[in-house]
Amino acid sequence: IMYNFMMFMVWVIRPNTINPWYRKKIHLNHHKTSGTAQDIEERLVGNGIKNHLLRMLVVFDGLLGLIVRSKQFSREITGYKFFTLFNAGFPLTTIYYIVLYSFLLFHTFNFIVEYMAVLIHYPTWLMTLVEWINFTMVVWIAPSFLRSACLNFVTSSMHYYGGAFNMLQQTQVLNHWFFMPFQLFCFNFGNTHTIHHFVPSQPFYIRQMISKRVNVFLKEKGVKFNDLTSILAANRYPSSQQFSN
């Protein structure tokens, strides 16, 4: 009971992700297939995308990213089914996107008509609904959007895609100053997540406590640090150094 309660609360805090019970399945797959085309978890957040405009779309809007790339996933990922993944977001993720798109649609339309000096009398029920949408956007949707955008950008940048052959080459450590604003909203993920690939069951806050000492050890063993050029190369591990570790 406690396990399922905690899983549900995680989903409440992160409504723009698929439900944690299904995500557990694809996260275990991530550890088995990291760096390959079969790693759907990282591909869903932008890892391995060459087109940087598409990458930003995926980082900020997972639903549009999923829709745009569904055919590609069908060709490349074994067992991929769009509706299985889409339905894994019901009902919280569904509510998240309904509120988000409704907020953007209404306020964009309202801005345009005000700019054109067009007078529109909205019905009372609509304005009441908009008040609730505004409130939900501020206290629930926007914080989740900010957190997920920062996390998606960092995780899709630090995981390698293609050319990786062992666990030392699955990820890099990102602690460059450029990433600090994003790290603030994902608990220093780029600096600590590599540890998770070696000790998956370790809580994130423990990783933060030990990261300073462990990162020294990882660097000695050949894990890359701040390989920013890989981001421009669709996260491919440097071919000239594939076997250096």
Side-chain angles (χ1 to χ4, degrees):
I1 293 174
M2 183 56 67
Y3 167 80
N4 288 301
F5 171 75
M6 292 177 68
M7 292 283 272
F8 177 72
M9 292 309 298
V10 166
W11 197 15
V12 170
I13 295 170
R14 305 174 57 182
N16 55 340
T17 59
I18 56 178
N19 77 69
W21 296 274
Y22 184 78
R23 184 166 180 267
K24 178 182 177 181
K25 176 182 177 181
I26 66 172
H27 186 66
L28 291 174
N29 177 70
H30 162 65
H31 282 276
K32 294 178 182 178
T33 63
S34 184
T36 73
Q38 301 304 312
D39 184 6
I40 188 171
E41 183 179 61
E42 279 302 315
R43 297 189 70 186
L44 283 171
V45 296
N47 187 240
I49 296 179
K50 296 180 180 180
N51 185 310
H52 296 292
L53 290 178
L54 176 60
R55 186 172 189 139
M56 286 298 101
L57 170 66
V58 172
V59 165
F60 288 108
D61 193 325
L63 178 57
L64 279 180
L66 174 63
I67 293 171
V68 169
R69 304 180 70 207
S70 186
K71 288 186 177 180
Q72 180 185 5
F73 289 160
S74 296
R75 293 193 306 268
E76 299 176 356
I77 300 177
T78 303
Y80 168 81
K81 294 181 180 179
F82 172 81
F83 283 106
T84 299
L85 201 59
F86 181 83
N87 292 336
F90 184 83
L92 292 188
T93 310
T94 308
I95 295 172
Y96 170 92
Y97 281 108
I98 289 175
V99 173
L100 176 62
Y101 292 153
S102 297
F103 176 87
L104 295 175
L105 181 63
F106 175 82
H107 288 287
T108 300
F109 174 78
N110 195 54
F111 173 80
I112 293 173
V113 297
E114 286 186 355
Y115 179 79
M116 298 176 64
V118 177
L119 183 62
I120 294 182
H121 295 286
Y122 297 110
T124 302
W125 67 266
L126 178 59
M127 296 312 298
T128 301
L129 179 61
V130 168
E131 288 181 5
W132 278 104
I133 290 175
N134 290 342
F135 174 80
T136 306
M137 187 72 187
V138 170
V139 302
W140 193 40
I141 304 300
S144 199
F145 178 88
L146 176 62
R147 181 207 63 82
S148 66
C150 292
L151 177 60
N152 291 348
F153 176 62
V154 173
T155 188
S156 65
S157 298
M158 69 170 299
H159 283 86
Y160 284 107
Y161 179 80
F165 292 90
N166 58 54
M167 289 179 64
L168 292 171
Q169 300 168 332
Q170 288 180 357
T171 61
Q172 60 171 304
V173 175
L174 286 180
N175 53 16
H176 191 275
W177 63 265
F178 173 80
F179 288 91
M180 287 309 297
F182 307 100
Q183 305 268 35
L184 291 174
F185 295 99
C186 59
F187 209 84
N188 204 22
F189 187 91
N191 189 48
T192 62
H193 181 69
T194 293
I195 303 171
H196 174 65
H197 276 248
F198 293 94
V199 191
S201 61
Q202 192 175 63
F204 67 95
Y205 51 87
I206 297 296
R207 293 198 293 273
Q208 176 60 36
M209 293 168 61
I210 67 174
S211 62
K212 186 174 182 180
R213 296 180 64 182
V214 174
N215 281 349
V216 173
F217 179 74
L218 292 177
K219 197 167 191 176
E220 291 175 353
K221 294 299 180 181
V223 172
K224 294 190 178 300
F225 280 62
N226 301 314
D227 178 19
L228 305 185
T229 57
S230 69
I231 301 172
L232 300 178
N235 304 109
R236 186 166 184 83
Y237 195 86
S239 58
S240 61
Q241 303 175 34
Q242 284 177 356
F243 301 102
S244 63
N245 295 324

